[in-house]
Amino acid sequence: MAATLEVESTLTDRYQTTVPETVRRALKLGKRDKIHYTIRPGGEVVLTRVDASEEDDPVLGQFLGFLARDIASHPERLQAVDASLVQRIHSLVGGIEVDLDAVLSADDE
């Protein structure tokens, strides 16, 4: 059975702390890495490293979170998409093919 390690850190006046070296090693954390906190009902907090694939687009993630909260708070605001709008969109972009795996040019980055 693996041994349980326990370490402590101190909060600053601004509620910041340094992640102890043993935790950084265990989670394979580097500078600018993100940490995910899971808070369990009994008050236990579990830290895990956020994998890069989970944070591919932080802006999109925040936007989707905003949408989810707004929909949950105001479901009465939801509206069906008008069929004429769908036809207009298809007329503008219907014949365009996009390769999502293609490398961007230097101008596009």
Side-chain angles (χ1 to χ4, degrees):
M1 177 181 253
T4 301
L5 298 175
E6 294 184 22
V7 295
E8 293 180 359
S9 65
T10 303
L11 287 176
T12 67
D13 292 336
R14 294 180 58 198
Y15 298 99
Q16 296 174 335
T17 189
T18 299
V19 178
E21 189 220 354
T22 53
V23 175
R24 292 193 310 263
R25 275 191 282 129
L27 297 179
K28 297 182 175 110
L29 291 172
K31 292 181 181 180
R32 312 294 303 166
D33 282 344
K34 293 189 181 251
I35 300 170
H36 177 81
Y37 298 84
T38 303
I39 303 168
R40 296 189 175 160
E44 182 181 42
V45 178
V46 178
L47 302 177
T48 52
R49 182 178 189 272
V50 176
D51 291 329
S53 62
E54 294 178 26
E55 61 169 87
D56 282 356
D57 191 340
V59 174
L60 180 59
Q62 289 178 4
F63 177 68
L64 293 175
F66 163 77
L67 286 179
R69 289 187 303 277
D70 190 57
I71 290 169
S73 299
H74 303 284
E76 73 280 2
R77 294 181 184 171
L78 291 177
Q79 298 179 10
V81 176
D82 183 70
S84 63
L85 176 60
V86 173
Q87 289 176 345
R88 175 77 175 132
I89 292 170
H90 280 288
S91 72
L92 293 172
V93 298
I96 298 173
E97 290 189 31
V98 177
D99 181 0
L100 297 177
D101 295 320
V103 177
L104 293 175
S105 69
D107 293 335
D108 292 332
E109 292 214 18

